[in-house]
PDB file of all heavy atoms in Angstrom:
ATOM      1  N   TRP A 155     130.126  97.642 197.258  1.00 96.00           N
ATOM      2  CA  TRP A 155     130.344  96.238 196.903  1.00 96.00           C
ATOM      3  C   TRP A 155     129.122  95.702 196.134  1.00 96.00           C
ATOM      4  O   TRP A 155     129.312  94.955 195.145  1.00 96.00           O
ATOM      5  CB  TRP A 155     130.545  95.434 198.199  1.00 96.00           C
ATOM      6  CG  TRP A 155     130.692  93.965 198.020  1.00 96.00           C
ATOM      7  CD1 TRP A 155     131.828  93.279 197.660  1.00 96.00           C
ATOM      8  CD2 TRP A 155     129.704  92.975 198.192  1.00 96.00           C
ATOM      9  NE1 TRP A 155     131.576  91.914 197.603  1.00 96.00           N
ATOM     10  CE2 TRP A 155     130.292  91.707 197.960  1.00 96.00           C
ATOM     11  CE3 TRP A 155     128.345  93.026 198.572  1.00 96.00           C
ATOM     12  CZ2 TRP A 155     129.563  90.503 198.066  1.00 96.00           C
ATOM     13  CZ3 TRP A 155     127.636  91.840 198.708  1.00 96.00           C
ATOM     14  CH2 TRP A 155     128.248  90.597 198.413  1.00 96.00           C
ATOM     15  N   ILE A 156     127.911  96.021 196.597  1.00 97.00           N
ATOM     16  CA  ILE A 156     126.699  95.412 195.978  1.00 97.00           C
ATOM     17  C   ILE A 156     126.606  95.823 194.492  1.00 97.00           C
ATOM     18  O   ILE A 156     126.050  95.062 193.639  1.00 97.00           O
ATOM     19  CB  ILE A 156     125.436  95.843 196.777  1.00 97.00           C
ATOM     20  CG1 ILE A 156     124.173  95.063 196.291  1.00 97.00           C
ATOM     21  CG2 ILE A 156     125.189  97.358 196.664  1.00 97.00           C
ATOM     22  CD1 ILE A 156     124.256  93.599 196.608  1.00 97.00           C
ATOM     23  N   LEU A 157     127.102  96.991 194.101  1.00 97.00           N
ATOM     24  CA  LEU A 157     127.063  97.430 192.738  1.00 97.00           C
ATOM     25  C   LEU A 157     127.901  96.521 191.849  1.00 97.00           C
ATOM     26  O   LEU A 157     127.493  96.188 190.756  1.00 97.00           O
ATOM     27  CB  LEU A 157     127.540  98.883 192.578  1.00 97.00           C
ATOM     28  CG  LEU A 157     126.814  99.963 193.418  1.00 97.00           C
ATOM     29  CD1 LEU A 157     127.433 101.333 193.091  1.00 97.00           C
ATOM     30  CD2 LEU A 157     125.317  99.949 193.105  1.00 97.00           C
ATOM     31  N   ASN A 158     129.041  96.090 192.358  1.00 96.00           N
ATOM     32  CA  ASN A 158     129.882  95.215 191.588  1.00 96.00           C
ATOM     33  C   ASN A 158     129.290  93.842 191.442  1.00 96.00           C
ATOM     34  O   ASN A 158     129.427  93.163 190.429  1.00 96.00           O
ATOM     35  CB  ASN A 158     131.290  95.113 192.284  1.00 96.00           C
ATOM     36  CG  ASN A 158     131.932  96.454 192.408  1.00 96.00           C
ATOM     37  OD1 ASN A 158     131.793  97.322 191.544  1.00 96.00           O
ATOM     38  ND2 ASN A 158     132.705  96.643 193.491  1.00 96.00           N
ATOM     39  N   VAL A 159     128.642  93.408 192.562  1.00 97.00           N
ATOM     40  CA  VAL A 159     128.002  92.069 192.492  1.00 97.00           C
ATOM     41  C   VAL A 159     127.012  91.958 191.360  1.00 97.00           C
ATOM     42  O   VAL A 159     126.935  90.969 190.631  1.00 97.00           O
ATOM     43  CB  VAL A 159     127.307  91.770 193.839  1.00 97.00           C
ATOM     44  CG1 VAL A 159     126.547  90.428 193.787  1.00 97.00           C
ATOM     45  CG2 VAL A 159     128.333  91.694 194.968  1.00 97.00           C
ATOM     46  N   PHE A 160     126.158  93.035 191.209  1.00 98.00           N
ATOM     47  CA  PHE A 160     125.081  92.999 190.229  1.00 98.00           C
ATOM     48  C   PHE A 160     125.453  93.730 188.945  1.00 98.00           C
ATOM     49  O   PHE A 160     124.617  93.973 188.109  1.00 98.00           O
ATOM     50  CB  PHE A 160     123.813  93.639 190.827  1.00 98.00           C
ATOM     51  CG  PHE A 160     123.168  92.732 191.866  1.00 98.00           C
ATOM     52  CD1 PHE A 160     122.325  93.312 192.805  1.00 98.00           C
ATOM     53  CD2 PHE A 160     123.386  91.377 191.931  1.00 98.00           C
ATOM     54  CE1 PHE A 160     121.674  92.565 193.783  1.00 98.00           C
ATOM     55  CE2 PHE A 160     122.780  90.601 192.922  1.00 98.00           C
ATOM     56  CZ  PHE A 160     121.934  91.160 193.827  1.00 98.00           C
ATOM     57  N   ASN A 161     126.743  94.183 188.820  1.00 97.00           N
ATOM     58  CA  ASN A 161     127.129  94.942 187.680  1.00 97.00           C
ATOM     59  C   ASN A 161     126.180  96.107 187.402  1.00 97.00           C
ATOM     60  O   ASN A 161     125.738  96.334 186.296  1.00 97.00           O
ATOM     61  CB  ASN A 161     127.247  94.031 186.453  1.00 97.00           C
ATOM     62  CG  ASN A 161     128.024  94.645 185.348  1.00 97.00           C
ATOM     63  OD1 ASN A 161     128.866  95.454 185.578  1.00 97.00           O
ATOM     64  ND2 ASN A 161     127.750  94.231 184.106  1.00 97.00           N
ATOM     65  N   LEU A 162     125.901  96.816 188.483  1.00 97.00           N
ATOM     66  CA  LEU A 162     124.935  97.917 188.443  1.00 97.00           C
ATOM     67  C   LEU A 162     125.612  99.233 188.512  1.00 97.00           C
ATOM     68  O   LEU A 162     126.537  99.447 189.286  1.00 97.00           O
ATOM     69  CB  LEU A 162     123.995  97.764 189.674  1.00 97.00           C
ATOM     70  CG  LEU A 162     122.831  98.715 189.854  1.00 97.00           C
ATOM     71  CD1 LEU A 162     121.853  98.565 188.715  1.00 97.00           C
ATOM     72  CD2 LEU A 162     122.143  98.411 191.194  1.00 97.00           C
ATOM     73  N   ALA A 163     125.196 100.211 187.649  1.00 97.00           N
ATOM     74  CA  ALA A 163     125.769 101.516 187.647  1.00 97.00           C
ATOM     75  C   ALA A 163     125.325 102.280 188.935  1.00 97.00           C
ATOM     76  O   ALA A 163     124.134 102.220 189.284  1.00 97.00           O
ATOM     77  CB  ALA A 163     125.349 102.275 186.423  1.00 97.00           C
ATOM     78  N   ALA A 164     126.215 103.024 189.504  1.00 98.00           N
ATOM     79  CA  ALA A 164     125.918 103.798 190.721  1.00 98.00           C
ATOM     80  C   ALA A 164     124.762 104.764 190.452  1.00 98.00           C
ATOM     81  O   ALA A 164     123.904 104.902 191.344  1.00 98.00           O
ATOM     82  CB  ALA A 164     127.174 104.506 191.168  1.00 98.00           C
ATOM     83  N   PHE A 165     124.757 105.345 189.291  1.00 97.00           N
ATOM     84  CA  PHE A 165     123.722 106.350 188.949  1.00 97.00           C
ATOM     85  C   PHE A 165     122.351 105.685 188.974  1.00 97.00           C
ATOM     86  O   PHE A 165     121.364 106.317 189.374  1.00 97.00           O
ATOM     87  CB  PHE A 165     124.015 106.960 187.611  1.00 97.00           C
ATOM     88  CG  PHE A 165     123.089 108.056 187.164  1.00 97.00           C
ATOM     89  CD1 PHE A 165     122.971 109.236 187.999  1.00 97.00           C
ATOM     90  CD2 PHE A 165     122.298 107.953 186.059  1.00 97.00           C
ATOM     91  CE1 PHE A 165     122.077 110.215 187.569  1.00 97.00           C
ATOM     92  CE2 PHE A 165     121.424 108.930 185.657  1.00 97.00           C
ATOM     93  CZ  PHE A 165     121.323 110.099 186.443  1.00 97.00           C
ATOM     94  N   ASP A 166     122.283 104.428 188.527  1.00 97.00           N
ATOM     95  CA  ASP A 166     120.928 103.750 188.461  1.00 97.00           C
ATOM     96  C   ASP A 166     120.529 103.398 189.906  1.00 97.00           C
ATOM     97  O   ASP A 166     119.328 103.449 190.189  1.00 97.00           O
ATOM     98  CB  ASP A 166     121.040 102.496 187.568  1.00 97.00           C
ATOM     99  CG  ASP A 166     121.159 102.881 186.089  1.00 97.00           C
ATOM    100  OD1 ASP A 166     120.526 103.878 185.728  1.00 97.00           O
ATOM    101  OD2 ASP A 166     121.843 102.166 185.342  1.00 97.00           O
ATOM    102  N   PHE A 167     121.485 102.980 190.733  1.00 98.00           N
ATOM    103  CA  PHE A 167     121.165 102.640 192.123  1.00 98.00           C
ATOM    104  C   PHE A 167     120.638 103.890 192.836  1.00 98.00           C
ATOM    105  O   PHE A 167     119.686 103.906 193.612  1.00 98.00           O
ATOM    106  CB  PHE A 167     122.423 102.128 192.805  1.00 98.00           C
ATOM    107  CG  PHE A 167     122.252 101.790 194.250  1.00 98.00           C
ATOM    108  CD1 PHE A 167     121.833 100.522 194.657  1.00 98.00           C
ATOM    109  CD2 PHE A 167     122.487 102.712 195.246  1.00 98.00           C
ATOM    110  CE1 PHE A 167     121.681 100.177 195.964  1.00 98.00           C
ATOM    111  CE2 PHE A 167     122.330 102.394 196.600  1.00 98.00           C
ATOM    112  CZ  PHE A 167     121.918 101.107 196.959  1.00 98.00           C
ATOM    113  N   TYR A 168     121.273 105.050 192.509  1.00 97.00           N
ATOM    114  CA  TYR A 168     120.913 106.323 193.110  1.00 97.00           C
ATOM    115  C   TYR A 168     119.458 106.655 192.892  1.00 97.00           C
ATOM    116  O   TYR A 168     118.779 107.175 193.773  1.00 97.00           O
ATOM    117  CB  TYR A 168     121.798 107.409 192.521  1.00 97.00           C
ATOM    118  CG  TYR A 168     121.426 108.805 192.932  1.00 97.00           C
ATOM    119  CD1 TYR A 168     121.979 109.411 194.040  1.00 97.00           C
ATOM    120  CD2 TYR A 168     120.602 109.597 192.090  1.00 97.00           C
ATOM    121  CE1 TYR A 168     121.591 110.688 194.388  1.00 97.00           C
ATOM    122  CE2 TYR A 168     120.280 110.887 192.437  1.00 97.00           C
ATOM    123  CZ  TYR A 168     120.772 111.466 193.558  1.00 97.00           C
ATOM    124  OH  TYR A 168     120.445 112.710 193.897  1.00 97.00           O
ATOM    125  N   LYS A 169     118.923 106.280 191.736  1.00 96.00           N
ATOM    126  CA  LYS A 169     117.548 106.651 191.360  1.00 96.00           C
ATOM    127  C   LYS A 169     116.482 106.085 192.272  1.00 96.00           C
ATOM    128  O   LYS A 169     115.403 106.621 192.399  1.00 96.00           O
ATOM    129  CB  LYS A 169     117.244 106.170 189.927  1.00 96.00           C
ATOM    130  CG  LYS A 169     117.996 106.870 188.821  1.00 96.00           C
ATOM    131  CD  LYS A 169     117.650 106.223 187.486  1.00 96.00           C
ATOM    132  CE  LYS A 169     118.525 106.768 186.373  1.00 96.00           C
ATOM    133  NZ  LYS A 169     118.259 106.025 185.090  1.00 96.00           N
TER     134      LYS A 169
END
Side-chain angles (χ1 to χ4, degrees):
Chain A
W155 177 81
I156 191 66
L157 301 182
N158 301 327
V159 175
F160 290 158
N161 197 25
L162 183 62
F165 183 62
D166 289 327
F167 179 89
Y168 172 88
K169 291 177 187 175

